[in-house]
Amino acid sequence: MTKEFMNDLNVLVDSAEVAFAQADTPASLENAKALFLGKTGRITELMKGMAALSVEEKKSRGASINLAKQSIEAALTKRRQALADAELMLQLQAEALDVTMPGRQRGIGGLHPVSITLERIEAIFGSMGFEVAQGPEIETDWFNFTALNTPEDHPARSMHDTFYVEGGSATAPNLLRTHTSPMQIRHAVQHVKRHRLATGVESEANGLFSGDMPEIRVIAPGRTYRVDSDATHSPMFHQCEGLWVGENVSFKDLKFIFTDFCRTFFESDDLVLRFRPSFFPFTEPSAEIDIQFQSGPLAGRWLEVAGSGQVHPNVIRNMGLDPEKFIGFAFGMGPDRLTMLRYGVNDLRLFFDGDIRFLSQFQ
């Protein structure tokens, strides 16, 4: 083995060390490695060239090549470690914590504005002696329509307004409730049943109860569903129905109760309401309830906020009560619309977009 060959090996090792030192990323280092230790690298080519040498030359030259290879591999390992240490240092610097800084407080969530309104409604009516009813969101046709005196040919029963779901039958289909009035019927039926069992009083010959019974005072808040969607309507929205049934409940009581509720809810004793004649299958007589804007660009204008009326005798019968003795009123309002009015929101869809910038204003 000549002195010239040894010098070439030393130059090769020096070249590898320089190439490795110039590599500033793991990827570029692997590319430099391939030039010297890869399948077509300089060391590999030297090993292949030994095939034509004698046995003695193979031994001496092979040992020198292996030493050069080991030196190059050592330089490669050293550079790999240096790059890994540098990357770790950058990561530690990026994630460094200044322990002298004050701690970061975890954000606290809050109630949705519609939930705030529902709690407020329940609290106000609770102070007037009203219970809160709960019921299923998947309803039967009987509770949602028939028990509420809705005719078979009423448009609300069509697919244009109602989400029908699997289950039930052709004559008694299941659906997503279009209002929370079914909960009034369910609550009233159970109220009558509990009173009969507690007192042992049977119904009259016609199957209707006409004995003495505590009054039914209940509100029914919850989610409802209709095929509708725009700035003031949503396929899923909230309603709150109210019911008061007794022996001497009049339209005067309805006007007093709802007016007092609105003035308390909006914290304004000067709030003006009007009861405008209307039609609903489940009440007779019926009225839309409007609120008048007292100030701002809409001052003097009216906005509908609820429907109401004296409970229809057929609905009283479907509760299991005798309409000759029991009478009452019902109302239905949209908590979403009340929330819009209370907080000055002009698009209902903002309540359901889940935008934290909007929702955080109500915390």
Side-chain angles (χ1 to χ4, degrees), residues 201-231:
V201 177
E202 296 296 331
S203 60
E204 302 295 333
N206 59 6
L208 302 175
F209 181 77
S210 61
D212 295 330
M213 181 191 72
E215 291 182 334
I216 299 172
R217 292 193 197 185
V218 63
I219 60 169
R223 288 185 292 268
T224 55
Y225 307 86
R226 294 182 192 174
V227 185
D228 206 353
S229 181
D230 56 42

Side-chain angles (χ1 to χ4, degrees), residues 24 79-93:
D24 55 0
R79 185 56 180 165
R80 277 177 176 163
Q81 187 61 48
L83 289 176
D85 291 344
E87 183 178 1
L88 177 61
M89 186 59 63
L90 289 174
Q91 182 179 355
L92 291 174
Q93 291 175 352

Side-chain angles (χ1 to χ4, degrees), residues 3-143:
K3 184 177 180 180
E4 181 180 358
F5 180 75
M6 290 299 298
N7 288 335
D8 290 342
L9 287 179
N10 291 333
V11 171
L12 182 61
V13 172
D14 292 341
S15 299
E17 291 177 348
V18 171
F20 295 160
Q22 292 176 343
D24 55 0
T25 64
S28 60
L29 181 60
E30 293 304 312
N31 290 335
K33 169 196 170 185
L35 296 175
F36 299 95
L37 301 175
K39 292 182 179 180
T40 59
R42 301 280 295 280
I43 293 295
T44 304
E45 293 297 326
L46 289 175
M47 297 294 286
K48 291 179 179 178
M50 290 172 38
L53 299 178
S54 64
V55 175
E56 291 299 322
E57 288 181 313
K58 285 181 179 180
K59 288 182 179 180
S60 60
R61 183 168 291 199
S64 298
I65 293 174
N66 280 331
L67 288 174
K69 181 180 180 182
Q70 291 172 7
S71 298
I72 293 174
E73 288 176 340
L76 175 65
T77 301
K78 182 179 179 181
R79 185 56 180 165
R80 277 177 176 163
Q81 187 61 48
L83 289 176
D85 291 344
E87 183 178 1
L88 177 61
M89 186 59 63
L90 289 174
Q91 182 179 355
L92 291 174
Q93 291 175 352
E95 298 176 357
L97 296 177
D98 185 350
V99 295
T100 64
M101 293 288 287
R104 297 174 182 173
Q105 184 175 3
R106 184 179 296 274
I108 300 176
L111 288 176
H112 190 279
V114 176
S115 297
I116 295 173
T117 294
L118 288 171
E119 286 193 355
R120 187 173 177 83
I121 290 172
E122 291 178 11
I124 294 172
F125 279 106
S127 68
M128 300 178 186
F130 283 74
E131 299 180 67
V132 177
Q134 302 291 334
E137 294 183 15
I138 297 180
E139 263 297 359
T140 64
D141 180 85
W142 193 87
F143 279 110

Side-chain angles (χ1 to χ4, degrees), residues 343-357:
Y343 296 111
V345 178
N346 58 11
D347 194 329
L348 178 68
R349 291 168 291 192
L350 290 171
F351 291 143
F352 308 115
D353 286 343
D355 190 330
I356 193 66
R357 295 170 299 179

